[in-house]
Coordinates of all heavy atoms in Angstrom, one line a residue:
R118 N -80.1 21.7 77.4 CA -79.0 20.9 77.9 C -78.6 19.9 76.9 O -77.4 19.5 76.9 CB -79.4 20.3 79.2 CG -79.6 21.3 80.4 CD -79.8 20.5 81.7 NE -80.3 21.3 82.7 CZ -79.6 22.0 83.6 NH1 -78.3 21.9 83.5 NH2 -80.2 22.7 84.5
I156 N -78.5 11.9 87.8 CA -79.5 13.1 87.9 C -80.2 13.2 86.6 O -79.5 13.1 85.5 CB -78.8 14.4 88.2 CG1 -77.9 14.3 89.4 CG2 -79.8 15.5 88.4 CD1 -77.4 15.7 89.9
K158 N -82.2 15.8 84.3 CA -82.5 17.2 84.2 C -83.2 17.5 83.0 O -82.9 17.0 81.9 CB -81.1 18.0 84.1 CG -80.2 17.8 85.3 CD -78.9 18.7 85.1 CE -78.0 18.5 86.3 NZ -76.7 19.3 86.0
D165 N -81.4 26.7 88.9 CA -81.4 26.5 90.3 C -82.0 25.2 90.8 O -82.8 25.1 91.7 CB -82.2 27.7 91.0 CG -81.4 29.0 90.9 OD1 -80.1 28.9 90.6 OD2 -81.9 30.0 91.2
G166 N -81.7 24.1 90.1 CA -82.1 22.8 90.5 C -83.6 22.5 90.1 O -84.1 21.4 90.4
Q169 N -85.2 18.9 88.1 CA -84.1 17.9 88.3 C -84.5 16.8 89.3 O -85.2 17.1 90.3 CB -82.8 18.5 88.9 CG -82.2 19.5 87.9 CD -80.8 20.0 88.4 OE1 -80.2 19.4 89.3 NE2 -80.3 21.1 87.8
R171 N -82.9 13.3 91.3 CA -81.8 12.3 91.5 C -82.3 10.9 91.6 O -83.4 10.7 92.3 CB -81.1 12.7 92.8 CG -80.1 13.8 92.6 CD -79.2 13.9 93.9 NE -78.4 15.2 93.7 CZ -77.1 15.3 94.0 NH1 -76.5 14.3 94.5 NH2 -76.5 16.4 93.7
E193 N -77.4 12.4 83.7 CA -75.9 12.5 84.0 C -75.5 11.8 85.3 O -76.3 11.8 86.2 CB -75.4 13.9 83.9 CG -76.0 14.9 84.8 CD -75.5 16.3 84.6 OE1 -75.8 16.8 83.5 OE2 -74.8 16.9 85.5
E194 N -74.2 11.4 85.4 CA -73.7 10.9 86.6 C -73.7 11.9 87.7 O -73.5 13.0 87.4 CB -72.3 10.3 86.4 CG -71.3 11.4 86.0 CD -69.8 10.9 86.0 OE1 -69.5 10.1 86.8 OE2 -69.1 11.5 85.2
V195 N -73.9 11.5 89.0 CA -73.7 12.4 90.1 C -72.2 12.5 90.3 O -71.6 11.5 90.5 CB -74.4 11.9 91.4 CG1 -74.0 12.7 92.6 CG2 -76.0 11.9 91.2
V196 N -71.7 13.7 90.2 CA -70.2 13.9 90.3 C -69.9 14.1 91.8 O -70.5 14.9 92.5 CB -69.7 15.1 89.5 CG1 -68.2 15.3 89.7 CG2 -70.1 15.0 88.1
F198 N -67.9 15.7 93.7 CA -66.9 16.8 93.5 C -66.3 17.3 94.8 O -66.8 17.2 95.9 CB -67.6 17.9 92.7 CG -68.9 18.5 93.4 CD1 -68.9 19.3 94.4 CD2 -70.1 18.2 92.7 CE1 -70.0 19.8 94.9 CE2 -71.3 18.7 93.2 CZ -71.3 19.5 94.4
E201 N -67.3 23.3 93.5 CA -68.0 23.8 92.3 C -67.4 25.2 92.1 O -67.2 26.0 93.0 CB -69.5 24.0 92.5 CG -70.2 22.7 92.6 CD -71.7 22.9 92.6 OE1 -72.3 23.2 91.6 OE2 -72.3 22.7 93.7
H224 N -73.5 26.0 97.2 CA -75.0 26.1 97.0 C -75.7 25.6 98.2 O -75.2 24.7 99.0 CB -75.4 25.2 95.8 CG -74.8 25.7 94.5 ND1 -73.5 25.5 94.1 CD2 -75.4 26.4 93.5 CE1 -73.2 26.1 92.9 NE2 -74.4 26.7 92.5
H227 N -79.7 23.7 96.0 CA -79.4 24.0 94.6 C -79.3 25.4 94.2 O -79.2 25.8 93.1 CB -80.5 23.3 93.7 CG -80.6 21.8 93.9 ND1 -79.7 21.0 93.2 CD2 -81.4 21.1 94.6 CE1 -80.0 19.7 93.5 NE2 -81.0 19.7 94.3
E266 N -69.8 26.9 84.3 CA -69.8 26.4 85.7 C -69.2 25.0 85.5 O -69.5 24.3 84.7 CB -71.3 26.2 86.0 CG -72.0 27.5 86.3 CD -73.5 27.2 86.8 OE1 -73.7 26.1 87.4 OE2 -74.3 28.0 86.6
F268 N -67.4 21.4 87.8 CA -67.1 20.7 89.0 C -65.6 20.4 89.0 O -65.1 20.1 87.9 CB -67.8 19.3 89.0 CG -69.3 19.4 88.9 CD1 -70.0 18.9 87.9 CD2 -70.0 20.1 89.9 CE1 -71.4 18.9 87.7 CE2 -71.4 20.1 89.8 CZ -72.1 19.6 88.7
N278 N -70.3 21.7 84.0 CA -71.7 21.5 84.4 C -72.6 22.2 83.4 O -73.4 21.5 82.8 CB -71.9 21.9 85.8 CG -73.5 21.7 86.2 OD1 -74.1 20.8 85.7 ND2 -73.9 22.5 87.1
E279 N -72.5 23.5 83.3 CA -73.4 24.1 82.3 C -72.8 25.5 82.0 O -71.9 26.0 82.5 CB -74.8 24.3 82.8 CG -74.9 25.1 84.1 CD -76.4 25.1 84.5 OE1 -77.3 24.7 83.8 OE2 -76.7 25.8 85.5
Ligands
AMP414 P1 -77.6 22.9 87.6 O1 -79.0 23.6 87.5 O2 -77.3 21.9 86.6 O3 -76.5 24.0 87.8 O4 -77.6 22.2 89.0 C1 -77.8 22.8 90.2 C2 -76.8 22.3 91.4 O5 -77.1 20.9 91.5 C3 -75.4 22.3 91.0 O6 -74.8 23.6 91.3 C4 -74.8 21.2 91.8 O7 -74.7 21.6 93.2 C5 -75.9 20.1 91.7 N1 -75.7 19.3 90.5 C6 -76.1 19.4 89.3 N2 -75.6 18.4 88.5 C7 -74.8 17.6 89.3 C8 -74.0 16.4 89.1 N3 -73.9 15.9 87.9 N4 -73.3 15.9 90.1 C9 -73.5 16.4 91.4 N5 -74.1 17.5 91.6 C10 -74.9 18.1 90.6

Side-chain angles (χ1 to χ4, degrees):
R118 291 186 195 269
I156 306 191
K158 300 180 180 177
D165 286 346
Q169 296 189 14
R171 279 192 186 219
E193 62 184 64
E194 63 171 324
V195 171
V196 178
F198 52 76
E201 291 188 75
H224 295 79
H227 298 280
E266 292 181 26
F268 300 120
N278 176 28
E279 62 179 358

